Amino acid sequence: MKTDIEIARAAKKKPIQEIGARLGVPAEHLLPFGHDKAKISAEFIAGLAGRPRGKLVLVTAINPTPAGEGKTTTTVGLGDGLNAIGKRAAVCIREASLGPNFGMKGGAAGGGLAQVVPMEEMNLHFTGDFHAITSAHNLLSAMIDNHIYWGNELEIDERRIVWRRVMDMNDRALRDIVVSLGGVANGFPRQTGFDITVASEVMAILCLAADLADLKTRLGDIIVAYTREKKPVYARDLKADGAMAVLLAQAMQPNLVQTLENNPAFVHGGPFANIAHGCNSAIATKTALALADYVVTEAGFGADLGAEKFMNIKCRKAGLAPDAVVIVATIRALKMNGGVAKEALGAENVAAVKEGCANLGRHIENVAKFGVPAIVAINHFVTDTEAEIEAVKAHVAALGAEAVLCRHWAEGSKGIEALAHKVVAIAESGKAAYRPLYADETPLFAKIETVAKEIYRAAEVAAPASVLSQLKEWEAAGYGHLPVCMAKTQYSFTTDPTVRGAPVGHSIPVREVRLSAGAGFVVAICGEIMTMPGLPRRPAAETIRFNDAGEIEGLF
């Protein structure tokens, strides 16, 4: 089997105009970036209003492990599989961040014969969306300090500036910094810091905005600071929202690319799921639903993060209702959840698989709480044995669901047709009755407790008095109706990344809360989660280079 990058480079891509035509998008409404990627015009998208929507399928997974789960690979494979059985289907996934690409994770856009291309461009600058988001965010940062420098007419309390800067790179040295050093000409020194771009509220806003007008309104709603009387100062008070919207106008247009089997794929937006809401843009998803019979989308990391936020934030805000959920698992990852070390995953261990199935079972139970039927996709590895596969199928069946073995990595669409047929049957059964986990009117801290207890199975949420007081203040200010976005490690149901399986009775510490008034949610930062990651001891960047043939090596 060739490597992922070798397969991607050998892809027989079609001109992006042909991909657009398959969805009924005229060439004049495509803004091409080269021959194999394009943006869809805002004018064309506006003309889709009122069209009936296709079926929406969410792909999620068990908690991620070093063994690999293959959620994006399965998302892409299922999209190809649905097209192979005669359904007009499109895939919707997120854009890649440069931070993990050059850090520990490396780039990816699926794998094997289930990939989205062009792989290299998608994992680097792509169409420039992240650069636009970074620029718009930092323009607002610059305008805050500039306003203070020129007299501070809004009476911003420099101790209560809550808007940090961002960059799309892992750089721990920028987590906490002091700006405006160097004397009078450089302004007033203050402590601040950087977050990674995918944690920016501007990213979340772009991914939830309905159109340019909504985008500008949401940007204006951003709270950047407070006065000494603790009154909020908004981006619109600084007259920054107009210029920010201008910078983001092209980035708001969804990107269209293709799978290895030349099926349409929307790749747009990219908030992290552990420190943000983890879903591709609502505008891309709704555009795809207006153009295709089936739309397969994913939510980042395990179902405890991505799927929970998809249901409680994205669906609530964008007016979406999924028809089916696919939960991805691998035998290897289940064995790790059952206590097997990475080096021993190749050996058959049915007992460990059964032990690790507790994690899968927890996710199945959690998804059911949202009223949407789920099916399990076993992403096949060559080391899987029949006994191990049957153990998973039996465990899932005992929970009233079904597990389907999928070979899309090695076989492409034909290796996942069985799952595609099952998904169609579920989606067309009419059994889905989507409901969020909590009501809008539920108090903010109660929403945090609901997620912690219902999804994480925690016994309590531990929050200092300052957090509880801040939540009460936001409720009094009219923000109590917002959903909560839990910033937590992706590796565990707890806040300890080393605790695998399905723990119960633990405590979820909330050390800080942040109000994203423009995006429309409250972020609860749990445990030691960082909004600016650092590079590992041996970052992927050390091995990324051009080879003698002028090809990129080490990115994948």
Side-chain angles (χ1 to χ4, degrees):
M1 188 74 180
K2 295 180 179 178
T3 63
D4 289 351
I5 187 59
E6 289 172 336
I7 294 169
R9 284 178 178 152
K12 293 179 171 59
K13 294 178 288 187
K14 293 186 177 180
I16 197 61
Q17 291 80 3
E18 287 189 32
I19 306 301
R22 287 189 54 185
L23 291 174
V25 184
E28 61 268 24
H29 284 294
L30 292 174
L31 175 62
F33 282 70
H35 301 290
D36 51 11
K37 52 190 177 295
K39 285 186 167 291
I40 299 177
S41 76
E43 179 186 5
F44 177 78
I45 293 171
L48 299 176
R51 274 202 191 187
R53 289 179 177 176
K55 301 290 186 182
L56 179 59
V57 180
L58 172 67
V59 177
T60 185
I62 63 174
N63 290 94
T65 67
E69 290 70 44
K71 177 163 45 61
T72 303
T73 304
T74 303
T75 300
V76 176
L78 180 56
D80 284 337
L82 287 166
N83 278 290
I85 66 171
K87 303 296 181 182
R88 185 161 69 169
V91 168
C92 285
I93 61 175
R94 293 174 295 165
E95 299 180 52
S97 167
L98 293 179
N101 284 351
F102 290 100
M104 182 181 295
K105 176 176 174 289
L113 296 181
Q115 297 187 54
V116 174
V117 288
M119 184 194 277
E120 285 139 313
E121 289 94 327
M122 284 174 52
N123 284 281
L124 294 171
H125 303 290
F126 199 29
T127 59
D129 293 344
F130 281 24
H131 298 309
I133 291 166
T134 302
S135 297
H137 182 115
N138 290 334
L139 170 63
L140 179 54
S141 299
M143 291 181 73
I144 294 168
D145 288 307
N146 186 63
H147 179 86
I148 294 170
Y149 178 84
W150 290 107
N152 198 4
E153 181 182 344
L154 294 171
E155 298 183 350
I156 293 171
D157 185 345
E158 296 167 44
R159 302 166 302 174
R160 294 188 172 96
I161 297 173
V162 296
W163 192 252
R164 293 155 60 88
R165 286 167 165 81
V166 299
M167 66 181 296
D168 191 29
M169 198 60 63
N170 294 359
D171 192 347
R172 65 173 57 83
L174 295 178
R175 287 173 183 161
D176 291 288
I177 63 172
V178 176
V179 294
S180 299
L181 295 175
V184 175
N186 294 340
F188 299 87
R190 65 180 180 88
Q191 185 176 356
T192 182
F194 275 75
D195 295 327
I196 192 167
T197 296
V198 288
S200 166
E201 185 177 352
V202 176
M203 172 70 80
I205 286 171
L206 182 135
C207 288
L208 291 170
D211 50 35
L212 270 178
D214 185 35
L215 176 75
K216 183 177 181 297
T217 298
R218 289 173 177 269
L219 292 170
D221 287 342
I222 293 172
I223 295 176
V224 300
Y226 293 86
T227 66
R228 290 183 181 272
E229 288 72 37
K230 297 185 179 180
K231 294 181 179 178
V233 178
Y234 297 91
R236 69 169 59 88
D237 296 330
L238 292 161
K239 300 180 176 62
D241 49 332
M244 293 172 71
V246 168
L247 279 172
L248 294 168
Q250 190 176 90
M252 265 291 289
Q253 300 173 24
N255 305 301
L256 179 66
V257 286
Q258 61 192 289
T259 69
L260 291 176
E261 299 190 13
N262 309 120
N263 293 312
F266 292 79
V267 182
H268 193 222
F272 270 8
N274 57 349
I275 53 182
H277 75 284
C279 307
N280 75 295
S281 75
I283 193 169
T285 303
K286 291 197 284 189
T287 299
L289 285 168
L291 298 173
D293 299 326
Y294 278 82
V295 173
V296 185
T297 190
E298 67 173 1
F301 297 131
D304 57 315
L305 286 177
E308 182 269 311
K309 294 172 184 180
F310 179 88
M311 301 290 189
N312 280 326
I313 298 176
K314 181 174 177 177
C315 289
R316 186 193 306 260
K317 293 292 182 181
L320 299 172
D323 298 281
V325 174
V326 176
I327 304 173
V328 181
T330 60
I331 300 297
R332 292 166 52 84
L334 291 172
K335 282 193 278 195
M336 284 203 85
N337 269 289
V340 176
K342 188 176 180 180
E343 307 78 52
L345 292 176
E348 181 179 87
N349 193 329
V350 176
V353 171
K354 291 179 178 179
E355 185 75 18
C357 275
N359 185 272
L360 172 59
R362 174 71 55 80
H363 291 298
I364 294 171
E365 294 168 1
N366 285 348
V367 168
K369 294 181 178 184
F370 295 100
V372 184
I375 188 168
V376 173
I378 304 173
N379 182 20
H380 182 258
F381 276 68
V382 293
T383 55
D384 299 347
T385 69
E386 286 299 319
E388 291 171 332
I389 293 167
E390 288 306 313
V392 176
K393 288 183 176 180
H395 185 93
V396 172
L399 294 173
E402 184 178 4
V404 179
L405 186 66
C406 302
R407 302 176 185 270
H408 46 286
W409 185 88
E411 300 176 9
S413 60
K414 69 178 181 179
I416 200 171
E417 285 188 8
L419 179 68
H421 283 294
K422 298 281 187 181
V423 166
V424 168
I426 292 172
E428 296 184 355
S429 70
K431 292 181 179 178
Y434 159 73
R435 57 183 180 271
L437 196 63
Y438 50 77
D440 290 347
E441 58 270 19
T442 303
L444 291 173
F445 188 68
K447 290 172 181 172
I448 294 172
E449 286 188 311
T450 299
V451 175
K453 293 179 178 181
E454 294 290 324
I455 302 299
Y456 309 153
R457 301 297 205 280
E460 64 170 5
V461 174
S466 58
V467 165
L468 299 176
S469 174
Q470 182 64 85
L471 294 173
K472 290 293 185 184
E473 287 181 19
W474 289 336
E475 286 171 350
Y479 295 108
H481 66 286
L482 299 182
V484 294
C485 180
M486 307 292 280
K488 186 187 75 67
T489 179
Q490 65 268 34
Y491 297 113
S492 173
F493 281 106
T494 73
T495 55
D496 181 349
T498 66
V499 178
R500 296 201 171 103
V504 297
H506 47 279
S507 177
I508 297 291
V510 176
R511 62 180 175 85
E512 181 186 352
V513 285
R514 298 180 183 179
L515 174 59
S516 295
F521 53 71
V522 171
V523 181
I525 299 179
C526 307
E528 298 302 315
I529 196 73
M530 294 288 184
T531 52
M532 168 54 86
L535 291 172
R537 183 182 294 273
R538 294 284 182 264
E542 291 183 359
T543 59
I544 295 173
R545 60 179 59 86
F546 284 107
N547 61 22
D548 293 340
E551 299 170 329
I552 298 173
E553 284 187 350
L555 183 57
F556 311 101

